[in-house]
Amino acid sequence: MRLEQIEKDMLDGKHGKSAQKSMEILTTLGEIFGAECMVDVHGVQIAGVSYANLGEAGLEFLNEMAEDGKVRVLTTLNPAGMDRENWRALGIDEEFYKNQNRAIDVFAKMGIITTCSCTPYLIGNAPHYGQHIAWAESSAVCYSNSVIGARTNREGGPSALAAALTGKTPKYGYHLDENRHSQVLFKINASVKSTDEFGVLGKLIGDKLVELGKKVPYIVGIPSATVEELKSFCASVATYGGTALFHMEGITPEYNKYPKPSEIVIEINQDDLDITRADLIDDDLEIDFVSLGCPHASIHEIAKIAKLLEGKKVKKEFWITTARPTKRIADEAGYSKIIEDAGAKFAADTCCVVAPIKGRFKGIMVDSAKACYYGRAKNKFKVKIGSMEQCVEEALK
Amino acid sequence: MKLEGRKIYKGIAEAEAIVTRDGISFYGGVDPDTGIVVEIGHELEGQSITGKVLVFPTGKGSTVGSYTMYRMKKNNMAPVAIVNEEIDTIIAVGCIISEIPCVDKINIKNIKTGQKVLVNGSEGIVEVK
């Protein structure tokens, strides 16, 4: 790899131990994936924050990096394993609370903003079109590449941290035009609206891409989509397809930058969507848990939930997962009071994917196809997908 | 026999090889406190990889696996070197942060369990003795 002077100096240890270790990680990955050089990044999103995933091993590594490591660019964190304020009410034990805070503190020591959210683009870590970034969190990677038109590979925890501590990432993969072309055309011959329907579509396309061994889809036939629908789609297609980038005609900024694929064309009809939806509803279902906000709920979604819950009482455990800054806006707007008066709970800084809730509930209802996947695989719940309105209705039953 | 591959992480180590055709997930697949492979149905299930030259096709599973490798190294339970056919990000990052010599692009059929193997991660060379 061709390195600039500052990059060589970092590799030689002239900028400290953590910058050296970081540059070792980045140059090695660059060599493996055939990068010719590094590129400056404008922001970083770090995953691997929940203590349940990090464990003592991860924490030890972070502590070593924090001895002399400081971030060089705007860096934010993925969700943690608990709400940092409301953890007790959500059933988190004291020991986990202490360990989770040890992890968050070490990130803070390195100058990372500890917002703990999977939607950094909604809370100030928002790149613009064409900017190079180094993000972990598969749903946010997909959103930033596709919806914003920024450029990032799917980073893991250590490689994202390395980018933060050096301000660099190896220039390969989605940083290069040649890898941003799509290979499969999906024609959607059905109406798709609301977060759950976009999640179902994401699973259908993601599954097909895995079957075909392809990466980047081009989607036509979606006349409009909201930010919330797109974030649901991104989370789903990234979960089921490992997809980091898609183009959507008339919606995403690069849809007419590269040629539309014509070799593989897949038609998607209402029947196909119905079959996929049925895949996301388990048999013998007993729902005792409802969760909205995967990815983290926007203020617009929280406003809608507040309206649906106003003056009512929920009868089931009901979480709304969101970013702390979004929760603060909800507090000021009065939405939080309405929601909490109805008996629903905010779970800020965390989510139903990373919180240590395995086996705590029998069945979960969500509006997110991603939450279905992890609800089953990680937490051993039965799952049901439905619209936000249907989820609220279920919680009131 | 001298096999030429690609250097992934520097350093030289020599030990007995333990070879598998299965991919390895360090997160959940290996016990970091004992060095024993615990993945059910894995070719190496129940065997220790501690102090060995670990030879396998490629990594799999969660990115947290890099941290597990680091944990093993701190516990003195890590393999002394790793040889892969095709490295993946998890194993590469794991070797770097744990400082385990590593070479890939090696046809691992040339190595048998129990053979003495010297791994030169700095040169990208694996020598079967």
Side-chain angles (χ1 to χ4, degrees):
Chain A
M1 261 179 104
R2 196 174 68 241
L3 295 182
E4 286 176 14
Q5 194 56 47
I6 184 165
E7 294 158 358
K8 284 183 194 154
D9 289 348
M10 284 179 182
L11 199 54
D12 291 342
K14 289 178 189 157
H15 292 267
K17 237 175 62 188
S18 64
Q20 182 177 29
K21 182 60 62 187
S22 298
M23 198 46 84
E24 277 180 11
I25 294 173
L26 300 174
T27 49
T28 304
L29 291 177
E31 297 285 350
I32 294 169
F33 295 110
E36 286 177 3
C37 60
M38 293 282 170
V39 63
D40 290 337
V41 294
H42 294 269
V44 172
Q45 167 77 2
I46 290 178
V49 178
S50 173
Y51 181 77
N53 291 333
L54 271 176
E56 284 305 307
L59 204 49
E60 213 175 311
F61 171 71
L62 293 174
N63 273 314
E64 199 181 307
M65 296 298 269
E67 278 172 22
D68 68 351
K70 283 277 179 281
V71 298
R72 287 165 197 259
V73 293
L74 176 66
T75 305
T76 47
L77 283 187
N78 237 28
M82 64 179 192
D83 185 304
R84 300 188 70 192
E85 293 175 6
N86 197 27
W87 54 277
R88 221 183 271 277
L90 297 169
I92 300 296
D93 67 51
E94 184 94 26
E95 198 192 336
F96 186 87
Y97 165 78
K98 282 188 184 148
N99 285 327
Q100 182 63 73
N101 273 345
R102 284 166 63 217
I104 292 171
D105 290 347
V106 67
F107 284 120
K109 192 180 165 196
M110 290 185 268
I112 293 161
I113 298 172
T114 55
T115 37
C116 303
S117 175
C118 51
T119 57
Y121 49 88
L122 293 181
I123 52 161
N125 192 354
H128 67 63
Y129 179 85
Q131 271 187 328
H132 295 279
I133 55 175
W135 280 17
E137 171 47 35
S138 64
S139 72
V141 164
C142 187
Y143 190 95
S144 62
N145 269 327
S146 316
V147 180
I148 298 173
R151 295 177 172 222
T152 179
N153 289 315
R154 277 162 68 101
E155 302 294 343
S159 64
L161 179 63
L165 296 176
T166 57
K168 309 274 183 178
T169 196
K171 196 173 183 183
Y172 70 93
Y174 295 111
H175 292 285
L176 303 171
D177 276 357
E178 68 216 49
N179 300 316
R180 297 178 70 88
H181 291 239
S182 49
Q183 302 119 4
V184 188
L185 182 71
F186 287 90
K187 281 191 180 164
I188 317 300
N189 309 315
S191 148
V192 181
K193 48 185 186 328
S194 77
T195 46
D196 59 317
E197 289 185 3
F198 272 85
V200 167
L201 179 66
K203 173 169 163 46
L204 180 50
I205 291 177
D207 286 345
K208 276 269 183 260
L209 288 169
V210 170
E211 229 178 276
L212 294 164
K214 301 290 179 193
K215 289 279 177 219
V216 185
Y218 190 107
I219 300 150
V220 300
I222 303 288
S224 70
T226 65
V227 163
E228 289 77 11
E229 288 162 349
L230 289 168
K231 90 175 153 63
S232 178
F233 178 78
C234 286
S236 179
V237 79
T239 296
Y240 294 96
T243 305
L245 171 67
F246 66 87
H247 302 298
M248 196 180 270
E249 193 171 54
I251 308 265
T252 61
E254 288 179 295
Y255 80 88
N256 55 7
K257 187 171 175 182
Y258 311 107
K260 213 191 263 191
S262 53
E263 271 178 28
I264 311 174
V265 179
I266 293 171
E267 307 260 348
I268 292 183
N269 301 313
Q270 188 59 49
D271 285 0
D272 304 311
L273 291 167
D274 292 345
I275 292 166
T276 305
R277 173 174 295 266
D279 268 358
L280 295 172
I281 301 174
D282 282 322
D283 297 332
D284 303 322
L285 189 67
E286 187 192 325
I287 295 164
D288 54 357
F289 184 31
V290 178
S291 184
L292 292 172
C294 173
H296 272 171
S298 69
I299 191 61
H300 192 196
E301 286 175 304
I302 292 174
K304 275 171 70 180
I305 297 165
K307 204 167 169 201
L308 292 167
L309 283 176
E310 190 153 23
K312 299 177 181 150
K313 283 275 178 221
V314 300
K315 298 197 177 69
K316 296 189 172 85
E317 184 83 3
F318 183 8
W319 289 12
I320 293 135
T321 54
T322 191
R324 179 71 52 195
T326 310
K327 166 73 167 43
R328 299 247 188 271
I329 302 172
D331 292 347
E332 286 188 16
Y335 303 141
S336 302
K337 187 171 183 321
I338 295 169
I339 288 167
E340 283 168 348
D341 282 352
K345 295 170 185 170
F346 275 98
D349 318 310
T350 187
C351 75
C352 63
V353 171
V354 296
I357 52 173
K358 182 177 174 180
R360 230 172 87 186
F361 303 100
K362 293 191 196 84
I364 183 174
M365 183 159 176
V366 290
D367 71 337
S368 157
K370 174 177 181 172
C372 288
Y373 178 87
Y374 286 98
R376 279 174 176 157
K378 191 164 168 286
N379 291 324
K380 310 294 171 205
F381 302 152
K382 293 207 168 188
V383 304
K384 180 179 183 181
I385 196 166
S387 67
M388 175 183 279
E389 290 78 6
Q390 289 167 335
C391 287
V392 171
E393 229 167 81
E394 181 66 41
L396 293 168
K397 268 205 279 210
Chain B
M1 184 178 27
K2 219 174 184 182
L3 307 168
E4 279 184 37
R6 177 169 67 168
K7 57 183 180 195
I8 299 295
Y9 193 74
K10 63 186 180 225
I12 298 172
E14 185 178 326
E16 208 177 276
I18 183 163
V19 186
T20 174
R21 288 302 309 168
D22 291 348
I24 288 187
S25 166
F26 276 87
Y27 180 66
V30 182
D31 183 337
D33 298 322
T34 61
I36 290 173
V37 176
V38 293
E39 183 183 331
I40 294 168
H42 196 282
E43 195 185 344
L44 299 181
E45 187 184 350
Q47 297 187 51
S48 168
I49 58 172
T50 302
K52 307 268 175 64
V53 169
L54 180 59
V55 183
F56 58 105
T58 193
K60 61 174 186 178
S62 163
T63 54
V64 180
S66 307
Y67 291 139
T68 309
M69 293 169 72
Y70 180 86
R71 171 84 175 181
M72 292 180 79
K73 178 74 179 210
K74 292 277 162 179
N75 286 342
N76 293 316
M77 285 294 156
V80 295
I82 285 178
V83 176
N84 273 183
E85 266 173 7
E86 189 70 47
I87 195 94
D88 79 315
T89 312
I90 303 165
I91 303 295
V93 171
C95 286
I96 301 162
I97 66 178
S98 324
E99 305 187 341
I100 297 171
C102 179
V103 174
D104 86 329
K105 303 257 186 228
I106 296 287
N107 184 350
I108 65 171
K109 284 187 187 141
N110 290 319
I111 310 173
K112 304 268 177 292
T113 294
Q115 284 176 327
K116 269 248 181 244
V117 173
L118 183 128
V119 178
N120 184 335
S122 308
E123 301 285 330
I125 289 168
V126 176
E127 216 175 308
V128 184
K129 300 207 161 171

